[in-house]
Amino acid sequence: MSNIEKILKQAAATFSKPQLASKYHESLNALVQAAGKLTGDDVGVDSALVKQHNSRDEDAANPVGYISVYEDSSISVSVFVLKVNSVLPLHDHPVMHGIIKVLHGSVRIQSYSLMSDTIRPRNGDRLCSLNDYYHVPHVLYPDPIRARRNPSVVLSPNDGCGLLTPTENNIHEVSSVNGPSAFLDILAPPYDAKTALYGPRPCLYFDVEHHSDTVSTLTPAVYHSNNYWTVELPYRGPKMAI
């Protein structure tokens, strides 16, 4: 069994069904630790592919390369290939968990955590039902959105994973640092996955209106496709049977 298959099986065990919170956190920690050991070779992403994508003739920072690795109703796994100066704009992950593992180069992540007054926990904390556990108002968000601005972090292949939850680090911007880069992205559940309580999960973009040392005010932004777009690249990693 390939390393990426092992990660997918661990992700499925973590996110595919409700479970006791203690068991969930144990499973999530195992997933983060295992994903932290992945390399570009595990998903067929080498330095030649990253350099080739960086040499594309389009806009200096675009397009962003996108490789679909795997997706089902519980998880999606993909790779993003960023050119020099490329940025994934500030965006959210509604009622989702996410794991980032850098495969090539370095990326900077500037994240924001939703303030407690934007979150309404449901049903206590005994069960961790990942699809319905938190209610993040969408219309979803209040107006304005108050969020804690976290210190930015720079990750490289020698580092472990970045982690986001429905409340912590959930809104973030990802940018390449000092050259092109690539990272693996695990999301649970996938964008647009529907639940009885919340319906689909559209991705929203944001502007930072103002911020103090600890608290920022965010507002939904209009997405401009001429500022950021992706191009699909083929998956060249090992075949999977899960």
Side-chain angles (χ1 to χ4, degrees):
M1 181 183 298
S2 66
N3 289 336
I4 187 61
E5 285 180 291
K6 294 176 183 177
I7 296 300
L8 295 179
K9 288 184 178 295
Q10 181 63 43
T14 304
F15 297 120
S16 64
K17 60 183 179 181
Q19 54 193 301
L20 291 174
S22 59
K23 178 64 176 177
Y24 160 70
H25 289 296
E26 177 183 329
S27 184
L28 177 61
N29 183 65
L31 174 60
V32 170
Q33 295 300 315
K37 298 176 183 178
L38 283 172
T39 69
D41 291 340
D42 291 320
V43 287
V45 177
D46 57 18
S47 57
L49 182 150
V50 176
K51 291 178 180 177
Q52 181 181 27
H53 178 71
N54 187 62
S55 67
R56 295 178 68 99
D57 293 333
E58 292 95 331
D59 179 85
N62 285 302
V64 169
Y66 175 80
I67 301 171
S68 177
V69 177
Y70 177 82
E71 182 167 338
D72 60 23
S73 60
S74 299
I75 59 173
S76 66
V77 182
S78 55
V79 173
F80 289 87
V81 184
L82 280 62
K83 299 171 70 175
V84 175
N85 301 320
S86 185
V87 178
L88 273 64
L90 191 63
H91 62 282
D92 67 348
H93 306 78
V95 202
M96 295 161 67
H97 289 69
I99 295 171
I100 285 179
K101 169 57 182 175
V102 177
L103 305 174
H104 289 277
S106 297
V107 302
R108 175 177 287 106
I109 303 173
Q110 176 59 67
S111 66
Y112 297 80
S113 297
L114 297 169
M115 301 294 285
S116 59
D117 60 3
T118 68
I119 305 300
R120 286 185 282 172
R122 298 184 61 256
N123 302 327
D125 60 1
R126 188 178 72 84
L127 291 178
C128 193
S129 177
L130 298 180
N131 285 347
D132 295 335
Y133 187 57
Y134 287 102
H135 177 66
V136 182
H138 184 212
V139 123
L140 265 174
Y141 298 104
D143 182 21
I145 302 164
R146 296 175 65 247
R148 182 177 72 252
R149 186 175 189 268
N150 302 310
S152 65
V153 296
V154 175
L155 299 177
S156 71
N158 294 327
D159 297 310
C161 297
L163 174 68
L164 65 86
T165 75
T167 56
E168 295 296 314
N169 306 313
N170 188 272
I171 299 175
H172 68 197
E173 176 184 271
V174 183
S175 55
S176 56
V177 177
N178 298 327
S181 58
F183 65 88
L184 183 86
D185 198 35
I186 302 173
L187 295 177
Y191 281 115
D192 292 333
K194 294 182 179 181
T195 66
L197 291 179
Y198 310 119
R201 294 170 170 82
C203 180
L204 297 182
Y205 295 86
F206 298 88
D207 287 328
V208 179
E209 291 299 316
H210 60 81
H211 62 82
S212 65
D213 291 340
T214 57
V215 179
S216 297
T217 301
L218 310 178
T219 57
V222 176
Y223 168 71
H224 295 290
S225 59
N226 59 330
N227 293 334
Y228 164 74
W229 71 95
T230 63
V231 59
E232 189 163 357
L233 303 176
Y235 172 67
R236 296 174 178 171
K239 294 182 178 180
M240 294 174 291
I242 68 168

